[in-house]
Amino acid sequence: MTKTGKVLTGVGGLILLLLAATVVLIMTFDWNRLKPTINEKVSAELQRPFAIRGNLGVDWSRKSDEPGWRGWVPWPNIHAEDLVLGNPPELVSDKTADDKIAATAFPAGEMVTLKRVDASIAPLALLAKEVWIPRIWLTQPDANLLRLANGKNNWTFNLANSPKEGEQPSSWSVNIDDIVFDRGAISLNDAMLKADLHAVIDPLGKPLPFAEVTGSSTEKKGQPPADSAQSNTADYVFGWKIDGKYQGQSLTGSGKMGGMLSMSDASRPFPLQADLRSGSTRVAVAGTLTDPGNLAGLDLQLKFSGASLDNLYPLIGVLLPATPPYNTDGRLVASLKQADGAVYRYENFNGKIGDSDIHGNLTYTASQPRPKLTGNMSSEKLRFADLAPLIGADSNQEKARRGERNRQPANKVLPTEKFDTKSWGVMDADVTYTAKRIERDKSLPLNDLSTHVVLNSGELLLDPLRFGMAGGSLNATLRLNGNKDPMQGKVDLHARRLQLKALLPQVKAMRNSLGQLNGDASFTATGNSVAALLATSNGSLRLLLNQGLISRSLMELLGLNVGNYLVAKLFGDDEVKINCAVADIQLRNGLATPRLFVVDTENAMISITGNINFATERLDLTINPESKGLRILTLRSPLYVKGTFKQPDAGVKAGPLIARGAIAAVLGVALTPAAALLALISPSEAEANQCTPLLQKIKQKK
């Protein structure tokens, strides 16, 4: 062998020896010596305490499934035990005596603990500057997530060496194919959400296909069939349970979800199934998340039920009215990365509120300065009693059925239940609602309902609020300003062509009546209940009744004992036809005073004077009858109606006699009311309407 050959052989042998020594050193090296350096470097990079407190080691083994010569290359299998990641320096969680979350500026506690982590690294991929980890095994991971009232949290990382703006990112990449763990636990203490939740996550044993769990829920009526995106949905891998408090209310639940790595795959829907309970409220969802790593969107079949819709506000942040018990089922689709705020669409939902059905589409936009709810709802059948809680008019029996205490005073007739206006300013709304058929007591002649509800910056507008009623219509515009305390309100109401025989359908005698009722009302008021609004009302009320009838038996059927007495005194027991009844009533601070209140019957003209006090719920009325032609009436003194709404009292006034010509005197000062009341008569029916000659006569008086 030449000298050059010997030198090359020696150098080659030395290199092989060094390589062998390096391999032996690496394979026999005590990696625990690097723990202080690793702990220090990771802590500095994450800017929070990190430590591997247990054993750190590397095992080497070949991968038999690697093709060709690659199968001879040993892979490093890294394992570390007892790992701890602390909170950032500005965060600490502590429980105060009243079980609330407090925070100080001192670091304390652990954000994440791991009993053990195992990972294999592909060595040949390192040559291409890629850290490829086919799988990471986690043993008993435990995370404690914290968020303070100022919004700071411990799950947001500010890396010390993250690229600055304009700098080129690192040429190295990290790819992890899968993450598995045996049993995990997550705690969330969130001061902003008033949440103190604890979740346990377990592997299901074997993956469950998405369709096997959700069934055909995505193919319900009104919804598209499952598409290719759903067929690409990842399997359910983990089951979970949760309990604790959310928004100060108890919360429990369970469900299933996909694997950890499928959360980072933006092209593949991530499966989620949950069943949550908070008090009487239950929420069940099944569907998918889009790009869950960035929480870009969701597509879920959503069912929820409970004692009242207003109980949902602490849970979902959507302001809804108080209602009877409800349940609903629909499709929830959300786009969470919109410039103007996340958009949630609850599509083609069906359900019940009380005994009323409900259907529709709603869209909730998390916009600024306030979120907004828009959409349309409808009912085939609306039970009128289910509307009562919305206006505070539900009875004490209804409250007792819902387990609420009776708040309506026993001596009051007008509803005293207060409107909850404090939450009106948290959300805007623009929603239409129609009810094709109203189920109600036979004495309530309502047929259908349609309304347009607009809530804007704490001000509520219902325009129109329309009822089909007794063959005619009742149209109203209602404005309520919840920013004022007490609340300010304004009502404009118009009743047109209400047929008398349909207005009192349970009264057999009224079936022969051919007349109708028209009316207008307009008033403003302040107050936080129906009773308070009426007690402060200012405005006017005009009514015109044509071709009706009245009798003592009619009053008995209506349960009006005072009316029964008055009719008996005026007419005896006979049925008396009413040619026309007109009223123009002025409202001032809750005191209703008739400027004109006249009833023209076939044998008498009757005027009513006095007042009705809505603030005190008291009556003080005087009824003056004057016979036409023959003295059919023998009553020589006026009648009175006094007392409270709850216990009215009627009788004959002692002392004064009915003055001759008293009715003519009343009509002589009623020029302005008469002109206004004539406007309630349709031009097409002016000649047939019995009120036309009466009002024209009044109008012509000087």
Side-chain angles (χ1 to χ4, degrees), residues 528-562:
N528 294 326
S529 67
V530 172
L533 287 168
L534 288 172
T536 60
S537 56
N538 292 280
S540 62
L541 169 66
R542 297 184 179 94
L543 292 174
L544 187 148
L545 185 150
N546 171 53
Q547 290 185 309
L549 55 80
I550 192 169
S551 68
R552 182 175 177 178
S553 59
L554 173 61
M555 296 298 103
E556 289 177 350
L557 287 170
L558 296 178
L560 300 177
N561 295 329
V562 169

PDB file of all heavy atoms in Angstrom, residues 528-562:
ATOM      1  N   ASN A 528     -93.207  51.834  34.575  1.00  0.00           N
ATOM      2  CA  ASN A 528     -92.523  50.575  34.275  1.00  0.00           C
ATOM      3  C   ASN A 528     -93.451  49.370  34.313  1.00  0.00           C
ATOM      4  O   ASN A 528     -93.000  48.240  34.407  1.00  0.00           O
ATOM      5  CB  ASN A 528     -91.366  50.373  35.250  1.00  0.00           C
ATOM      6  CG  ASN A 528     -90.273  51.408  35.055  1.00  0.00           C
ATOM      7  OD1 ASN A 528     -90.022  51.850  33.933  1.00  0.00           O
ATOM      8  ND2 ASN A 528     -89.629  51.804  36.140  1.00  0.00           N
ATOM      9  N   SER A 529     -94.772  49.613  34.250  1.00  0.00           N
ATOM     10  CA  SER A 529     -95.747  48.532  34.177  1.00  0.00           C
ATOM     11  C   SER A 529     -96.984  49.064  33.470  1.00  0.00           C
ATOM     12  O   SER A 529     -97.127  50.275  33.255  1.00  0.00           O
ATOM     13  CB  SER A 529     -96.113  48.031  35.584  1.00  0.00           C
ATOM     14  OG  SER A 529     -96.824  49.035  36.296  1.00  0.00           O
ATOM     15  N   VAL A 530     -97.888  48.169  33.100  1.00  0.00           N
ATOM     16  CA  VAL A 530     -99.127  48.597  32.466  1.00  0.00           C
ATOM     17  C   VAL A 530     -99.904  49.515  33.401  1.00  0.00           C
ATOM     18  O   VAL A 530    -100.435  50.551  32.996  1.00  0.00           O
ATOM     19  CB  VAL A 530     -99.979  47.368  32.075  1.00  0.00           C
ATOM     20  CG1 VAL A 530    -101.353  47.800  31.584  1.00  0.00           C
ATOM     21  CG2 VAL A 530     -99.268  46.538  31.012  1.00  0.00           C
ATOM     22  N   ALA A 531     -99.964  49.164  34.679  1.00  0.00           N
ATOM     23  CA  ALA A 531    -100.683  49.981  35.656  1.00  0.00           C
ATOM     24  C   ALA A 531    -100.070  51.369  35.770  1.00  0.00           C
ATOM     25  O   ALA A 531    -100.779  52.382  35.804  1.00  0.00           O
ATOM     26  CB  ALA A 531    -100.697  49.284  37.006  1.00  0.00           C
ATOM     27  N   ALA A 532     -98.733  51.429  35.846  1.00  0.00           N
ATOM     28  CA  ALA A 532     -98.067  52.719  35.993  1.00  0.00           C
ATOM     29  C   ALA A 532     -98.221  53.577  34.750  1.00  0.00           C
ATOM     30  O   ALA A 532     -98.377  54.799  34.843  1.00  0.00           O
ATOM     31  CB  ALA A 532     -96.587  52.499  36.306  1.00  0.00           C
ATOM     32  N   LEU A 533     -98.196  52.960  33.573  1.00  0.00           N
ATOM     33  CA  LEU A 533     -98.365  53.718  32.337  1.00  0.00           C
ATOM     34  C   LEU A 533     -99.762  54.336  32.263  1.00  0.00           C
ATOM     35  O   LEU A 533     -99.922  55.507  31.922  1.00  0.00           O
ATOM     36  CB  LEU A 533     -98.115  52.813  31.131  1.00  0.00           C
ATOM     37  CG  LEU A 533     -96.660  52.422  30.856  1.00  0.00           C
ATOM     38  CD1 LEU A 533     -96.586  51.302  29.832  1.00  0.00           C
ATOM     39  CD2 LEU A 533     -95.847  53.619  30.386  1.00  0.00           C
ATOM     40  N   LEU A 534    -100.782  53.550  32.592  1.00  0.00           N
ATOM     41  CA  LEU A 534    -102.138  54.088  32.560  1.00  0.00           C
ATOM     42  C   LEU A 534    -102.345  55.153  33.626  1.00  0.00           C
ATOM     43  O   LEU A 534    -103.101  56.109  33.429  1.00  0.00           O
ATOM     44  CB  LEU A 534    -103.151  52.954  32.739  1.00  0.00           C
ATOM     45  CG  LEU A 534    -103.301  52.006  31.547  1.00  0.00           C
ATOM     46  CD1 LEU A 534    -104.184  50.830  31.906  1.00  0.00           C
ATOM     47  CD2 LEU A 534    -103.864  52.740  30.341  1.00  0.00           C
ATOM     48  N   ALA A 535    -101.657  55.008  34.746  1.00  0.00           N
ATOM     49  CA  ALA A 535    -101.817  55.964  35.844  1.00  0.00           C
ATOM     50  C   ALA A 535    -101.227  57.329  35.520  1.00  0.00           C
ATOM     51  O   ALA A 535    -101.557  58.321  36.180  1.00  0.00           O
ATOM     52  CB  ALA A 535    -101.172  55.416  37.116  1.00  0.00           C
ATOM     53  N   THR A 536    -100.362  57.413  34.513  1.00  0.00           N
ATOM     54  CA  THR A 536     -99.729  58.691  34.150  1.00  0.00           C
ATOM     55  C   THR A 536    -100.089  59.116  32.732  1.00  0.00           C
ATOM     56  O   THR A 536     -99.448  60.005  32.168  1.00  0.00           O
ATOM     57  CB  THR A 536     -98.202  58.563  34.265  1.00  0.00           C
ATOM     58  OG1 THR A 536     -97.754  57.523  33.382  1.00  0.00           O
ATOM     59  CG2 THR A 536     -97.781  58.240  35.697  1.00  0.00           C
ATOM     60  N   SER A 537    -101.093  58.484  32.146  1.00  0.00           N
ATOM     61  CA  SER A 537    -101.393  58.678  30.729  1.00  0.00           C
ATOM     62  C   SER A 537    -101.987  60.057  30.455  1.00  0.00           C
ATOM     63  O   SER A 537    -102.742  60.617  31.244  1.00  0.00           O
ATOM     64  CB  SER A 537    -102.346  57.588  30.248  1.00  0.00           C
ATOM     65  OG  SER A 537    -103.521  57.569  31.033  1.00  0.00           O
ATOM     66  N   ASN A 538    -101.616  60.583  29.283  1.00  0.00           N
ATOM     67  CA  ASN A 538    -102.163  61.839  28.762  1.00  0.00           C
ATOM     68  C   ASN A 538    -102.505  61.625  27.296  1.00  0.00           C
ATOM     69  O   ASN A 538    -101.672  61.163  26.517  1.00  0.00           O
ATOM     70  CB  ASN A 538    -101.145  62.976  28.878  1.00  0.00           C
ATOM     71  CG  ASN A 538    -100.868  63.367  30.322  1.00  0.00           C
ATOM     72  OD1 ASN A 538    -101.633  64.085  30.938  1.00  0.00           O
ATOM     73  ND2 ASN A 538     -99.762  62.854  30.859  1.00  0.00           N
ATOM     74  N   GLY A 539    -103.748  61.988  26.913  1.00  0.00           N
ATOM     75  CA  GLY A 539    -104.130  61.806  25.522  1.00  0.00           C
ATOM     76  C   GLY A 539    -105.633  61.812  25.371  1.00  0.00           C
ATOM     77  O   GLY A 539    -106.351  62.504  26.108  1.00  0.00           O
ATOM     78  N   SER A 540    -106.128  61.011  24.446  1.00  0.00           N
ATOM     79  CA  SER A 540    -107.569  61.005  24.173  1.00  0.00           C
ATOM     80  C   SER A 540    -108.002  59.641  23.665  1.00  0.00           C
ATOM     81  O   SER A 540    -107.213  58.871  23.119  1.00  0.00           O
ATOM     82  CB  SER A 540    -107.927  62.076  23.140  1.00  0.00           C
ATOM     83  OG  SER A 540    -107.278  61.807  21.897  1.00  0.00           O
ATOM     84  N   LEU A 541    -109.305  59.374  23.852  1.00  0.00           N
ATOM     85  CA  LEU A 541    -109.915  58.134  23.393  1.00  0.00           C
ATOM     86  C   LEU A 541    -111.255  58.479  22.764  1.00  0.00           C
ATOM     87  O   LEU A 541    -112.079  59.176  23.365  1.00  0.00           O
ATOM     88  CB  LEU A 541    -110.119  57.175  24.571  1.00  0.00           C
ATOM     89  CG  LEU A 541    -110.988  55.932  24.320  1.00  0.00           C
ATOM     90  CD1 LEU A 541    -110.298  55.003  23.324  1.00  0.00           C
ATOM     91  CD2 LEU A 541    -111.273  55.210  25.628  1.00  0.00           C
ATOM     92  N   ARG A 542    -111.487  57.996  21.552  1.00  0.00           N
ATOM     93  CA  ARG A 542    -112.747  58.233  20.853  1.00  0.00           C
ATOM     94  C   ARG A 542    -113.330  56.893  20.410  1.00  0.00           C
ATOM     95  O   ARG A 542    -112.637  56.087  19.791  1.00  0.00           O
ATOM     96  CB  ARG A 542    -112.547  59.138  19.635  1.00  0.00           C
ATOM     97  CG  ARG A 542    -112.048  60.534  19.993  1.00  0.00           C
ATOM     98  CD  ARG A 542    -111.958  61.409  18.745  1.00  0.00           C
ATOM     99  NE  ARG A 542    -111.498  62.745  19.078  1.00  0.00           N
ATOM    100  CZ  ARG A 542    -110.217  63.126  19.023  1.00  0.00           C
ATOM    101  NH1 ARG A 542    -109.293  62.250  18.647  1.00  0.00           N
ATOM    102  NH2 ARG A 542    -109.881  64.360  19.337  1.00  0.00           N
ATOM    103  N   LEU A 543    -114.615  56.681  20.732  1.00  0.00           N
ATOM    104  CA  LEU A 543    -115.299  55.444  20.380  1.00  0.00           C
ATOM    105  C   LEU A 543    -116.630  55.771  19.732  1.00  0.00           C
ATOM    106  O   LEU A 543    -117.308  56.740  20.132  1.00  0.00           O
ATOM    107  CB  LEU A 543    -115.534  54.578  21.630  1.00  0.00           C
ATOM    108  CG  LEU A 543    -114.313  53.982  22.318  1.00  0.00           C
ATOM    109  CD1 LEU A 543    -114.729  53.296  23.616  1.00  0.00           C
ATOM    110  CD2 LEU A 543    -113.610  52.997  21.401  1.00  0.00           C
ATOM    111  N   LEU A 544    -117.013  54.942  18.787  1.00  0.00           N
ATOM    112  CA  LEU A 544    -118.297  55.104  18.107  1.00  0.00           C
ATOM    113  C   LEU A 544    -118.890  53.722  17.884  1.00  0.00           C
ATOM    114  O   LEU A 544    -118.279  52.870  17.237  1.00  0.00           O
ATOM    115  CB  LEU A 544    -118.098  55.828  16.781  1.00  0.00           C
ATOM    116  CG  LEU A 544    -119.350  56.237  16.003  1.00  0.00           C
ATOM    117  CD1 LEU A 544    -119.083  57.519  15.222  1.00  0.00           C
ATOM    118  CD2 LEU A 544    -119.762  55.126  15.042  1.00  0.00           C
ATOM    119  N   LEU A 545    -120.088  53.494  18.476  1.00  0.00           N
ATOM    120  CA  LEU A 545    -120.779  52.209  18.350  1.00  0.00           C
ATOM    121  C   LEU A 545    -122.087  52.436  17.617  1.00  0.00           C
ATOM    122  O   LEU A 545    -122.885  53.316  17.993  1.00  0.00           O
ATOM    123  CB  LEU A 545    -121.022  51.614  19.736  1.00  0.00           C
ATOM    124  CG  LEU A 545    -121.639  50.217  19.822  1.00  0.00           C
ATOM    125  CD1 LEU A 545    -121.154  49.512  21.074  1.00  0.00           C
ATOM    126  CD2 LEU A 545    -123.169  50.277  19.830  1.00  0.00           C
ATOM    127  N   ASN A 546    -122.349  51.642  16.602  1.00  0.00           N
ATOM    128  CA  ASN A 546    -123.528  51.817  15.752  1.00  0.00           C
ATOM    129  C   ASN A 546    -124.395  50.566  15.790  1.00  0.00           C
ATOM    130  O   ASN A 546    -123.911  49.447  15.616  1.00  0.00           O
ATOM    131  CB  ASN A 546    -123.069  52.098  14.313  1.00  0.00           C
ATOM    132  CG  ASN A 546    -124.215  52.088  13.330  1.00  0.00           C
ATOM    133  OD1 ASN A 546    -125.204  52.776  13.531  1.00  0.00           O
ATOM    134  ND2 ASN A 546    -124.076  51.283  12.280  1.00  0.00           N
ATOM    135  N   GLN A 547    -125.717  50.769  16.052  1.00  0.00           N
ATOM    136  CA  GLN A 547    -126.709  49.692  15.974  1.00  0.00           C
ATOM    137  C   GLN A 547    -126.374  48.497  16.858  1.00  0.00           C
ATOM    138  O   GLN A 547    -126.217  47.377  16.396  1.00  0.00           O
ATOM    139  CB  GLN A 547    -126.886  49.231  14.524  1.00  0.00           C
ATOM    140  CG  GLN A 547    -127.585  50.245  13.637  1.00  0.00           C
ATOM    141  CD  GLN A 547    -127.834  49.703  12.254  1.00  0.00           C
ATOM    142  OE1 GLN A 547    -126.920  49.192  11.613  1.00  0.00           O
ATOM    143  NE2 GLN A 547    -129.058  49.816  11.776  1.00  0.00           N
ATOM    144  N   GLY A 548    -126.289  48.763  18.137  1.00  0.00           N
ATOM    145  CA  GLY A 548    -126.079  47.687  19.090  1.00  0.00           C
ATOM    146  C   GLY A 548    -127.349  47.387  19.846  1.00  0.00           C
ATOM    147  O   GLY A 548    -128.450  47.744  19.433  1.00  0.00           O
ATOM    148  N   LEU A 549    -127.220  46.699  20.957  1.00  0.00           N
ATOM    149  CA  LEU A 549    -128.360  46.459  21.827  1.00  0.00           C
ATOM    150  C   LEU A 549    -127.855  46.258  23.246  1.00  0.00           C
ATOM    151  O   LEU A 549    -126.668  46.006  23.476  1.00  0.00           O
ATOM    152  CB  LEU A 549    -129.196  45.259  21.363  1.00  0.00           C
ATOM    153  CG  LEU A 549    -128.508  43.891  21.174  1.00  0.00           C
ATOM    154  CD1 LEU A 549    -128.330  43.173  22.487  1.00  0.00           C
ATOM    155  CD2 LEU A 549    -129.335  43.043  20.216  1.00  0.00           C
ATOM    156  N   ILE A 550    -128.762  46.377  24.188  1.00  0.00           N
ATOM    157  CA  ILE A 550    -128.380  46.274  25.588  1.00  0.00           C
ATOM    158  C   ILE A 550    -129.557  45.690  26.355  1.00  0.00           C
ATOM    159  O   ILE A 550    -130.720  45.907  26.001  1.00  0.00           O
ATOM    160  CB  ILE A 550    -127.979  47.649  26.157  1.00  0.00           C
ATOM    161  CG1 ILE A 550    -127.298  47.509  27.512  1.00  0.00           C
ATOM    162  CG2 ILE A 550    -129.166  48.587  26.240  1.00  0.00           C
ATOM    163  CD1 ILE A 550    -126.654  48.792  27.987  1.00  0.00           C
ATOM    164  N   SER A 551    -129.249  44.893  27.374  1.00  0.00           N
ATOM    165  CA  SER A 551    -130.294  44.303  28.202  1.00  0.00           C
ATOM    166  C   SER A 551    -129.680  43.861  29.518  1.00  0.00           C
ATOM    167  O   SER A 551    -128.454  43.746  29.658  1.00  0.00           O
ATOM    168  CB  SER A 551    -130.953  43.113  27.495  1.00  0.00           C
ATOM    169  OG  SER A 551    -130.029  42.039  27.391  1.00  0.00           O
ATOM    170  N   ARG A 552    -130.538  43.625  30.471  1.00  0.00           N
ATOM    171  CA  ARG A 552    -130.065  43.158  31.772  1.00  0.00           C
ATOM    172  C   ARG A 552    -129.422  41.776  31.646  1.00  0.00           C
ATOM    173  O   ARG A 552    -128.393  41.496  32.259  1.00  0.00           O
ATOM    174  CB  ARG A 552    -131.249  43.108  32.743  1.00  0.00           C
ATOM    175  CG  ARG A 552    -130.870  42.685  34.146  1.00  0.00           C
ATOM    176  CD  ARG A 552    -132.072  42.774  35.069  1.00  0.00           C
ATOM    177  NE  ARG A 552    -131.730  42.312  36.402  1.00  0.00           N
ATOM    178  CZ  ARG A 552    -132.577  42.306  37.428  1.00  0.00           C
ATOM    179  NH1 ARG A 552    -133.819  42.759  37.255  1.00  0.00           N
ATOM    180  NH2 ARG A 552    -132.206  41.865  38.606  1.00  0.00           N
ATOM    181  N   SER A 553    -130.027  40.922  30.824  1.00  0.00           N
ATOM    182  CA  SER A 553    -129.469  39.572  30.645  1.00  0.00           C
ATOM    183  C   SER A 553    -128.086  39.631  29.999  1.00  0.00           C
ATOM    184  O   SER A 553    -127.216  38.803  30.278  1.00  0.00           O
ATOM    185  CB  SER A 553    -130.411  38.719  29.789  1.00  0.00           C
ATOM    186  OG  SER A 553    -130.609  39.322  28.510  1.00  0.00           O
ATOM    187  N   LEU A 554    -127.868  40.640  29.110  1.00  0.00           N
ATOM    188  CA  LEU A 554    -126.551  40.803  28.492  1.00  0.00           C
ATOM    189  C   LEU A 554    -125.513  41.127  29.556  1.00  0.00           C
ATOM    190  O   LEU A 554    -124.412  40.573  29.557  1.00  0.00           O
ATOM    191  CB  LEU A 554    -126.603  41.909  27.442  1.00  0.00           C
ATOM    192  CG  LEU A 554    -125.265  42.322  26.806  1.00  0.00           C
ATOM    193  CD1 LEU A 554    -124.638  41.140  26.093  1.00  0.00           C
ATOM    194  CD2 LEU A 554    -125.463  43.479  25.848  1.00  0.00           C
ATOM    195  N   MET A 555    -125.853  42.004  30.473  1.00  0.00           N
ATOM    196  CA  MET A 555    -124.921  42.359  31.542  1.00  0.00           C
ATOM    197  C   MET A 555    -124.624  41.151  32.433  1.00  0.00           C
ATOM    198  O   MET A 555    -123.503  40.957  32.886  1.00  0.00           O
ATOM    199  CB  MET A 555    -125.504  43.495  32.390  1.00  0.00           C
ATOM    200  CG  MET A 555    -125.693  44.809  31.651  1.00  0.00           C
ATOM    201  SD  MET A 555    -124.152  45.529  31.024  1.00  0.00           S
ATOM    202  CE  MET A 555    -124.264  45.115  29.283  1.00  0.00           C
ATOM    203  N   GLU A 556    -125.642  40.339  32.666  1.00  0.00           N
ATOM    204  CA  GLU A 556    -125.439  39.142  33.482  1.00  0.00           C
ATOM    205  C   GLU A 556    -124.465  38.178  32.809  1.00  0.00           C
ATOM    206  O   GLU A 556    -123.577  37.609  33.440  1.00  0.00           O
ATOM    207  CB  GLU A 556    -126.779  38.459  33.737  1.00  0.00           C
ATOM    208  CG  GLU A 556    -127.694  39.233  34.684  1.00  0.00           C
ATOM    209  CD  GLU A 556    -129.037  38.568  34.861  1.00  0.00           C
ATOM    210  OE1 GLU A 556    -129.322  37.617  34.094  1.00  0.00           O
ATOM    211  OE2 GLU A 556    -129.801  38.981  35.749  1.00  0.00           O
ATOM    212  N   LEU A 557    -124.619  38.010  31.478  1.00  0.00           N
ATOM    213  CA  LEU A 557    -123.727  37.117  30.739  1.00  0.00           C
ATOM    214  C   LEU A 557    -122.287  37.621  30.753  1.00  0.00           C
ATOM    215  O   LEU A 557    -121.337  36.842  30.769  1.00  0.00           O
ATOM    216  CB  LEU A 557    -124.214  36.956  29.295  1.00  0.00           C
ATOM    217  CG  LEU A 557    -125.473  36.108  29.098  1.00  0.00           C
ATOM    218  CD1 LEU A 557    -125.978  36.234  27.672  1.00  0.00           C
ATOM    219  CD2 LEU A 557    -125.187  34.650  29.436  1.00  0.00           C
ATOM    220  N   LEU A 558    -122.152  38.953  30.725  1.00  0.00           N
ATOM    221  CA  LEU A 558    -120.812  39.537  30.735  1.00  0.00           C
ATOM    222  C   LEU A 558    -120.225  39.596  32.135  1.00  0.00           C
ATOM    223  O   LEU A 558    -119.059  39.948  32.304  1.00  0.00           O
ATOM    224  CB  LEU A 558    -120.852  40.952  30.134  1.00  0.00           C
ATOM    225  CG  LEU A 558    -121.239  41.040  28.652  1.00  0.00           C
ATOM    226  CD1 LEU A 558    -121.275  42.502  28.213  1.00  0.00           C
ATOM    227  CD2 LEU A 558    -120.268  40.254  27.790  1.00  0.00           C
ATOM    228  N   GLY A 559    -121.011  39.272  33.134  1.00  0.00           N
ATOM    229  CA  GLY A 559    -120.517  39.316  34.499  1.00  0.00           C
ATOM    230  C   GLY A 559    -120.368  40.715  35.036  1.00  0.00           C
ATOM    231  O   GLY A 559    -119.612  40.941  35.987  1.00  0.00           O
ATOM    232  N   LEU A 560    -121.084  41.692  34.459  1.00  0.00           N
ATOM    233  CA  LEU A 560    -120.982  43.091  34.893  1.00  0.00           C
ATOM    234  C   LEU A 560    -122.147  43.396  35.826  1.00  0.00           C
ATOM    235  O   LEU A 560    -123.237  43.806  35.400  1.00  0.00           O
ATOM    236  CB  LEU A 560    -121.000  44.024  33.677  1.00  0.00           C
ATOM    237  CG  LEU A 560    -119.865  43.806  32.667  1.00  0.00           C
ATOM    238  CD1 LEU A 560    -120.036  44.736  31.474  1.00  0.00           C
ATOM    239  CD2 LEU A 560    -118.516  44.018  33.322  1.00  0.00           C
ATOM    240  N   ASN A 561    -121.937  43.212  37.097  1.00  0.00           N
ATOM    241  CA  ASN A 561    -123.012  43.402  38.066  1.00  0.00           C
ATOM    242  C   ASN A 561    -123.495  44.847  38.104  1.00  0.00           C
ATOM    243  O   ASN A 561    -124.686  45.123  38.253  1.00  0.00           O
ATOM    244  CB  ASN A 561    -122.550  42.971  39.456  1.00  0.00           C
ATOM    245  CG  ASN A 561    -122.271  41.483  39.511  1.00  0.00           C
ATOM    246  OD1 ASN A 561    -122.915  40.704  38.802  1.00  0.00           O
ATOM    247  ND2 ASN A 561    -121.311  41.077  40.336  1.00  0.00           N
ATOM    248  N   VAL A 562    -122.550  45.805  38.004  1.00  0.00           N
ATOM    249  CA  VAL A 562    -122.934  47.212  38.014  1.00  0.00           C
ATOM    250  C   VAL A 562    -123.772  47.528  36.779  1.00  0.00           C
ATOM    251  O   VAL A 562    -124.807  48.207  36.850  1.00  0.00           O
ATOM    252  CB  VAL A 562    -121.690  48.118  38.084  1.00  0.00           C
ATOM    253  CG1 VAL A 562    -122.082  49.570  37.833  1.00  0.00           C
ATOM    254  CG2 VAL A 562    -121.016  47.981  39.432  1.00  0.00           C
TER     255      VAL A 562
END
